[in-house]
């Protein structure tokens, strides 16, 4: 087996996390004891591959929570107690078909889960069937389709590949922000837009643009909650800072999606940044026609992110700055890996608050944000 590779790989992973993502590193737990590991094998009635034992002797899993160390699959590293709990749960769902052929069983008795997606039963597993050549192989379980192998032949190899990926950085989808590690999907090529495209005629058949936005629209707190500490920051900053950040984010979005090449879009953003109040639009105005043409192109090309970008331009110019800054950032995440750092910079780079919990949202008093459900829960907790 490759237990020596496990130790070498964890040394590389730990060193990288200490330097680049110390808050994520802090969630990795101390080693598990030999007796605890032996008792777990006895309870499950399996033999752990040496690689799994070596990994548990390095880190007994990772603490739960948004800062937790997770593999690139999104699965949190499990310790001994998590392995027992998650593996036992999976055994209760399905014992597999015949227990002999890989891929046939939904879950076989000698599979051991060592990584958990947490919000579902999906996760990383290891084949602990000692009589097979696949002993120690790494697979992944999906709720809908069951177990699939091919992740790696051993945990040592899997961790070595993980260390390589971390050291490659952003080109491999590795992002750090505020001391935390994030895994991002590969980015698509940025769309190309020509400012020379003729403007459609007012009577041309085009998708209608949502022009119902208002600067006074309430933002539901769920839009902010997904942005974690950045969402908490947006919620407590002065209104003027949020407006300025919304303008900067919308310009970034227009540039990254190519929409800034259209003179109608660029002129509107230029005026908005100068503080010029834009007139209420109608479906046949030059800017609305341009954005409607983009919607038509996006629908034809099945380019949902391009459609989102056009919709966010309208939202940003005529809607709530709170909603605009959130949704511009969400759309930008499809075009740049640095969207969190950019958003923080556009908000003025103030100190970041802790990741908010329900109590934070329940105590929030911002008339532009609807946190009524959390406030009601917070009041009940106080009673």
């Amino acid at each position: 087996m490759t237990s020596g590779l496990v130790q070498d790989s964890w040394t590389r992973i730990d060193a990288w996390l200490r330097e680049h993502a110390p808050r994520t590193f802090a969630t990795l737990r101390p080693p598990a004891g030999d007796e605890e590991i032996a008792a777990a094998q006895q309870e499950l009635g399996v033999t752990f591959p040496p690689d799994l034992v070596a990994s548990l002797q390095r880190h007994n899993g990772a603490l739960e929570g948004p800062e937790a160390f997770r593999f690139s699959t999104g699965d949190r590293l499990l310790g001994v107690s998590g392995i027992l709990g998650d593996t036992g749960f999976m055994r209760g769902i399905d014992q597999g078909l015949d227990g002999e052929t890989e891929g046939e069983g939904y879950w076989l008795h000698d599979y051991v889960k060592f990584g958990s997606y947490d919000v579902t039963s999906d996760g990383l597993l290891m084949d602990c069937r000692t009589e097979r050549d696949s002993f120690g192989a790494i697979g992944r379980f999906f709720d809908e389709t069951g177990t699939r192998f091919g992740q790696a032949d051993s945990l040592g190899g899997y961790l070595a590949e993980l260390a390589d990926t971390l050291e490659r950085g952003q080109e491999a989808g590795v992002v750090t922000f505020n001391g935390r590690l994030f895994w991002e999907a590969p980015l698509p090529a940025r769309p190309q837009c020509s400012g020379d495209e003729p403007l459609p005629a007012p009577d041309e058949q085009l998708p209608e643009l949502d022009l119902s936005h208002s600067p006074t629209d309430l933002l539901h707190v769920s839009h902010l909650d997904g942005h974690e500490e950045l969402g908490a920051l947006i919620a407590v900053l002065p209104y003027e800072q949020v407006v300025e950040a919304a303008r900067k984010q919308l310009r970034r979005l227009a540039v990254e999606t190519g929409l800034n090449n259209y003179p109608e879009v660029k002129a509107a953003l230029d005026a908005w940044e100068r503080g010029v109040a834009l007139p209420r639009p109608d479906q046949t105005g030059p800017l609305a026609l341009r954005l409607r043409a983009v919607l038509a192109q996006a629908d034809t090309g099945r380019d949902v992110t391009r459609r989102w970008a056009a919709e966010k331009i309208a939202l940003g110019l005529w809607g709530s700055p709170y909603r605009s800054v959130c949704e511009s950032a969400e759309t930008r995440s499809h075009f740049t890996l640095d969207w969190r750092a950019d958003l923080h910079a556009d908000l003025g780079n103030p100190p970041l608050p802790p990741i908010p919990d329900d109590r934070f949202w329940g105590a929030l008093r911002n008339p532009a944000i609807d946190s009524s459900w959390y406030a009601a829960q917070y009041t009940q907790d106080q009673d």
Side-chain angles (χ1 to χ4, degrees), residues 35-244:
E35 292 184 359
E36 184 181 9
I37 298 171
Q41 294 178 80
Q42 184 174 7
E43 181 173 339
L44 292 174
V46 299
T47 298
F48 288 170
D51 282 18
L52 181 55
V53 174
S55 182
L56 289 167
Q57 288 172 337
R58 187 62 176 261
H59 291 300
N60 190 17
L63 299 173
E64 295 185 57
E67 298 176 343
F69 171 81
R70 293 182 180 275
F71 297 102
S72 59
T73 53
D75 302 309
R76 177 176 58 87
L77 178 70
L78 293 176
V80 172
S81 63
I83 288 172
L84 288 170
D86 279 36
T87 302
F89 175 80
M90 294 308 304
R91 287 179 176 179
I93 293 176
D94 194 336
Q95 295 296 328
L97 295 178
D98 59 16
E100 293 297 329
T101 305
E102 284 184 52
E104 281 194 354
Y106 191 70
W107 184 271
L108 303 184
H109 178 273
D110 288 350
Y111 291 165
V112 167
K113 193 172 175 185
F114 71 93
S116 174
Y117 198 63
D118 286 340
V119 294
T120 68
S121 59
D122 296 358
L124 290 166
L125 62 97
M126 186 173 294
D127 190 344
C128 294
R129 292 176 290 176
T130 55
E131 75 283 0
R132 296 177 63 92
D133 291 340
S134 59
F135 180 59
I138 306 302
R140 193 162 193 277
F141 172 82
F142 297 90
D143 275 336
E144 294 83 1
T145 58
T147 302
R148 293 291 181 270
F149 284 89
Q151 297 286 333
D153 292 334
S154 68
L155 183 56
Y158 190 73
L159 292 174
E161 185 177 346
L162 175 64
D164 290 342
T165 301
L166 289 173
E167 290 166 359
R168 284 170 55 204
Q170 280 204 2
E171 69 175 70
V174 177
V175 177
T176 58
F177 176 73
N178 196 27
R180 298 167 61 195
L181 169 65
F182 297 88
W183 296 100
E184 298 288 357
L187 297 175
R190 290 189 177 181
Q192 301 297 315
C193 302
S194 172
D196 297 331
E197 294 176 15
L199 198 64
D203 59 352
E204 189 168 334
Q205 293 297 311
L206 297 168
E208 291 219 340
L209 190 66
D210 184 0
L211 300 176
S212 65
H213 309 297
S214 167
T216 59
D217 288 342
L218 282 180
L219 175 70
H220 193 273
V221 75
S222 59
H223 289 272
L224 293 164
D225 195 22
H227 289 306
E228 299 180 321
E229 63 262 57
L230 284 166
L233 181 61
I234 292 169
V236 299
L237 282 178
Y239 177 79
E240 293 75 15
Q241 278 183 258
V242 176
V243 171
E244 183 64 19

